[in-house]
Amino acid sequence: MSNKLIESALKLSDALRTRDSKSILNNFAKFSDDINNDIDIIKKWNDEELSRFNGLLKYLLLSVENKDYFFGVSIIDSQLIPMMNISSSKIFDKEKLEINNDVTEDISNQYEDYAYPNLWNGVIPDYMRDVSLKNAEPTALYNLKYLKSLTNNKYKSFNNANVLIAGCGTGESSLSGAIIYANVNFTYVDISRASLNMAKKYAEELNIKNIEFINDDIMTMNLDKKFDYIMSTGVLHHLENPSKGVENLKKHLKDDGVLSAMVYGEYGRFEIGLMQESIKYLKKESGFKEKIIITKKILKFINKDLRLSEINKNDDIEKGDQHIVDLLLNVNEFRYNVLSLNSMIEEGGMRLVDFTNRRTMDPNEYIDDVEFSSLVKDLTQLEKWHLAEMLNGKLKKHHFIAVKKEFKQGVLGLSNKNLVPYKNVFLKLKTEIMNGKINYFIGLDVANFFEDDFIEIRWIKIDDMAYELINYINGKRTIKKIISKFDKKIIEKESLKFLEYCINNKFIFLHNN
């Protein structure tokens, strides 16, 4: 490591402490020039030299407090942290992916410069190293049992299943799934080498062995492999042609496979759309750095009574420049209501079957009226979903499930006593003492898993036997075993009736053992 590089890094560190914007920019320019001048040498460093360089970069990070709140945030988030991921075994050294259309090229360049997401800032949080994580249930988007249950299809073992994460980014939101499902084979694909480098670094530090990393474009990739599950969070809506992306994912999906994806919602992102168009007017030909500066100024000084001020309530604004770019300055973005989403999925040759945030997509959650419910009952499922999102009005994202059009859904019923019930990941139980008596309640806490749902838990009162029965369900005991325990206390018919009630209300799901 040259003394020149160390000297410029230390000067940058001093500038960051002062929070003087002019000094920060001048010193960062000098530091960047020195990095670029030495980049060929850096790539040839041995592990000891790389370790010393990473230590220097970590020193720079530690020299700044509350880095998200000062002018130099882009220096830390978009430049220094990706540099920390330099490792002789982690860099994708092959030539940049050949891209044949301008939109995809722009998207690739954006995520090379602003790897996303970047909540960990190069440091893996302690909870990811917690041994108990291996026995945990992941959230719905990455819960294989939950996804499978939504199709009501015959359950099969997840051992050696193949899962594709299409657009993995830095891996922060999906690596926990690879830990929990240690016997599942994961393939992580992303168009950004910078993001893949970070994901690969994290995976190696966590000793995750069941992931293959691939630098490719999900619209054109040909992996020569079929997957049981494909998960794509926040990616399809940035593609030049989302339907083409769905079509290519379908080619990589097994006949009974499931696609779980998230795309932006049209109605809840109205203010974000206004901001995006405003920035285009003001900074048409500018690069991201200039756009970030003007975006921050607008958000800081805008009248709090105006609709655009609502954007300041979004947590991403305080998470660094990568998050501002992804949220407000993305080079390409589509937003969907349920009808346009359904059309996009059908154009890709697939079929929309459900939403993981089911309660949010139920119109009856918003209007508690018998006449209203009777009118809703006559609507098609697609119309019900669309009505629900209009009544909500604030859904920024749609978490949907799709299958191939030819996919035949099966039905798992209570008649087969060898089936195993397991609890919905959102299931909550509580007790309350009223007038000296214990009362028992059951409900679904979807708001803790999906932002912008705006739905409080709907608690349903149950009796003590039902409370004991639901607690007895552990994802291993069969219906037969559960009934054999409770038919001494309540007749079998009543046990089955309660289990059926739980299934209809999505409190539990069934699978083969």
Side-chain angles (χ1 to χ4, degrees):
M1 188 185 304
S2 68
N3 290 333
K4 189 177 180 181
L5 185 58
I6 294 174
E7 183 181 351
S8 63
L10 293 175
K11 286 184 178 179
L12 174 57
S13 177
D14 290 336
L16 290 170
R17 283 197 193 94
T18 66
R19 302 194 180 188
D20 180 87
S21 58
K22 185 176 181 180
S23 178
I24 288 171
L25 287 177
N26 289 339
N27 281 281
F28 178 66
K30 178 67 169 60
F31 182 66
S32 297
D33 288 342
D34 289 341
I35 288 286
N36 291 328
N37 291 336
D38 287 351
I39 193 65
D40 290 334
I41 298 174
I42 290 172
K43 285 186 177 182
K44 295 177 183 178
W45 283 349
N46 59 36
D47 289 341
E48 182 181 354
E49 290 170 318
L50 286 169
S51 178
R52 290 174 61 197
F53 186 61
N54 285 343
L56 168 64
L57 295 177
K58 289 178 181 178
Y59 168 73
L60 285 173
L61 291 174
L62 292 172
S63 70
V64 183
E65 293 181 1
N66 301 321
K67 63 182 179 59
D68 286 338
Y69 299 95
F70 72 94
F71 181 83
V73 64
S74 63
I75 298 169
I76 298 294
D77 280 351
S78 65
Q79 302 293 334
L80 296 187
I81 286 172
M83 291 176 193
M84 289 177 64
N85 302 318
I86 294 177
S87 167
S88 55
S89 65
K90 298 167 188 169
I91 288 185
F92 282 75
D93 280 329
K94 70 175 186 177
E95 293 183 6
K96 187 176 180 182
L97 190 67
E98 185 176 341
I99 297 172
N100 297 319
N101 74 73
D102 292 339
V103 172
T104 306
E105 180 73 31
D106 289 342
I107 294 169
S108 175
N109 291 335
Q110 172 189 318
Y111 286 109
E112 287 292 339
D113 293 336
Y114 295 88
Y116 179 89
N118 195 24
L119 298 176
W120 294 355
N121 291 335
V123 181
I124 297 174
D126 290 340
Y127 74 84
M128 287 294 293
R129 303 180 189 277
D130 190 342
V131 175
S132 64
L133 180 65
K134 295 180 180 180
N135 301 315
E137 287 280 10
T139 54
L141 282 178
Y142 297 101
N143 190 309
L144 302 185
K145 287 193 295 186
Y146 182 65
L147 296 181
K148 196 67 176 175
S149 69
L150 290 178
T151 64
N152 296 318
N153 199 48
K154 184 178 179 181
Y155 174 87
K156 61 182 179 182
S157 172
F158 298 111
N159 287 339
N160 299 315
N162 292 314
V163 176
L164 170 64
I165 307 296
C168 64
T170 60
E172 291 181 12
S173 60
S174 58
L175 285 173
S176 61
I179 295 174
I180 293 167
Y181 296 111
N183 295 324
V184 169
N185 305 307
F186 286 87
T187 301
Y188 277 41
V189 173
D190 203 277
I191 201 168
S192 165
R193 291 175 300 173
S195 297
L196 282 169
N197 282 335
M198 295 180 75
K200 194 166 188 289
K201 169 186 177 291
Y202 292 143
E204 289 182 355
E205 287 190 20
L206 291 166
N207 198 32
I208 299 174
K209 304 292 187 181
N210 56 333
I211 302 178
E212 178 186 8
F213 295 92
I214 298 175
N215 180 213
D216 215 332
D217 175 6
I218 68 174
M219 281 201 306
T220 59
M221 66 183 182
N222 184 5
L223 304 182
D224 195 27
K225 184 189 293 186
K226 297 281 188 178
F227 295 90
D228 299 281
Y229 302 90
I230 296 179
M231 302 171 186
S232 184
T233 304
V235 178
L236 292 171
H237 49 234
H238 292 314
L239 300 182
E240 188 225 2
N241 187 333
S243 292
K244 186 177 178 181
V246 170
E247 184 178 18
N248 199 33
L249 292 179
K250 176 192 172 186
K251 292 177 182 177
H252 288 81
L253 195 64
K254 291 182 180 180
D255 290 342
D256 63 345
V258 179
L259 168 65
S260 169
M262 181 278 283
V263 295
Y264 289 149
E266 176 184 345
Y267 304 141
R269 287 179 68 88
F270 180 78
E271 291 85 3
I272 291 173
L274 292 178
M275 172 63 89
Q276 290 170 335
E277 293 304 314
S278 299
I279 299 301
K280 288 178 183 178
Y281 270 116
L282 295 169
K283 293 285 183 180
K284 290 182 181 178
E285 306 299 327
S286 300
F288 281 117
K289 289 182 181 179
E290 292 83 3
K291 289 179 179 178
I292 289 169
I293 291 172
I294 192 64
T295 299
K296 288 180 178 179
K297 285 187 175 181
I298 292 174
L299 293 175
K300 181 177 180 180
F301 295 110
I302 195 166
N303 188 310
K304 293 182 180 179
D305 294 328
L306 298 178
R307 291 190 67 167
L308 276 185
S309 67
E310 290 291 310
I311 297 174
N312 281 312
K313 297 178 182 179
N314 193 303
D315 290 343
D316 280 349
I317 299 301
E318 304 295 346
K319 293 174 182 174
D321 286 358
Q322 278 99 331
H323 293 260
I324 289 177
V325 169
D326 185 76
L327 179 71
L328 300 173
L329 303 176
N330 214 295
V331 296
N332 193 59
E333 179 179 306
F334 292 92
R335 295 181 288 275
Y336 295 94
N337 60 48
V338 167
L339 300 182
S340 59
L341 173 62
N342 184 63
S343 297
M344 184 269 284
I345 294 170
E346 287 194 336
E347 287 174 15
M350 297 192 72
R351 175 162 51 92
L352 175 64
V353 294
D354 217 325
F355 290 87
T356 52
N357 46 340
R358 279 180 160 188
R359 283 188 60 207
T360 306
M361 305 306 290
D362 180 1
N364 292 306
E365 291 289 343
Y366 304 101
I367 308 292
D368 186 13
D369 179 75
V370 175
E371 184 180 357
F372 176 83
S373 296
S374 65
L375 294 173
V376 169
K377 189 180 295 184
D378 294 331
L379 300 178
T380 65
Q381 184 60 70
L382 192 66
E383 290 171 335
K384 290 177 183 177
W385 288 332
H386 189 216
L387 175 60
E389 70 167 337
M390 290 189 292
L391 292 174
N392 182 300
K394 294 185 178 182
L395 288 177
K396 292 182 173 66
K397 300 174 182 178
H398 286 307
H399 304 263
F400 70 87
I401 304 296
V403 297
K404 290 185 175 182
K405 286 184 177 180
E406 58 271 24
F407 179 92
K408 293 183 179 180
Q409 291 176 253
V411 177
L412 295 179
L414 288 168
S415 58
N416 183 353
K417 300 297 190 297
N418 291 319
L419 294 178
V420 176
Y422 69 95
K423 299 171 188 174
N424 189 325
V425 292
F426 306 143
L427 181 69
K428 296 291 182 183
L429 295 167
K430 75 170 184 177
T431 58
E432 287 184 358
I433 298 178
M434 299 178 183
N435 300 321
K437 181 182 177 183
I438 300 177
N439 291 276
Y440 303 90
F441 299 88
I442 190 171
L444 295 179
D445 190 14
V446 294
N448 282 344
F449 290 83
F450 301 99
E451 60 183 67
D452 309 314
D453 283 342
F454 302 100
I455 295 179
E456 295 182 358
I457 298 178
R458 183 178 63 197
W459 292 109
I460 298 171
K461 190 175 180 181
I462 56 178
D463 61 31
D464 57 343
M465 284 297 119
Y467 183 83
E468 187 178 346
L469 189 152
I470 202 75
N471 271 313
Y472 193 62
I473 295 173
N474 63 356
K476 297 179 181 179
R477 298 185 180 103
T478 63
I479 294 173
K480 182 178 181 180
K481 188 166 186 177
I482 292 171
I483 290 174
S484 68
K485 175 180 174 64
F486 286 91
D487 63 3
K488 297 175 183 178
K489 301 179 180 179
I490 51 178
I491 58 174
E492 178 179 336
K493 187 176 180 181
E494 290 301 313
S495 319
L496 288 171
K497 186 176 179 181
F498 178 67
L499 287 173
E500 184 176 10
Y501 172 81
C502 287
I503 291 171
N504 291 337
N505 283 274
K506 315 307 176 189
F507 296 143
I508 63 172
F509 301 104
L510 299 175
H511 64 78
N512 294 345
N513 196 7

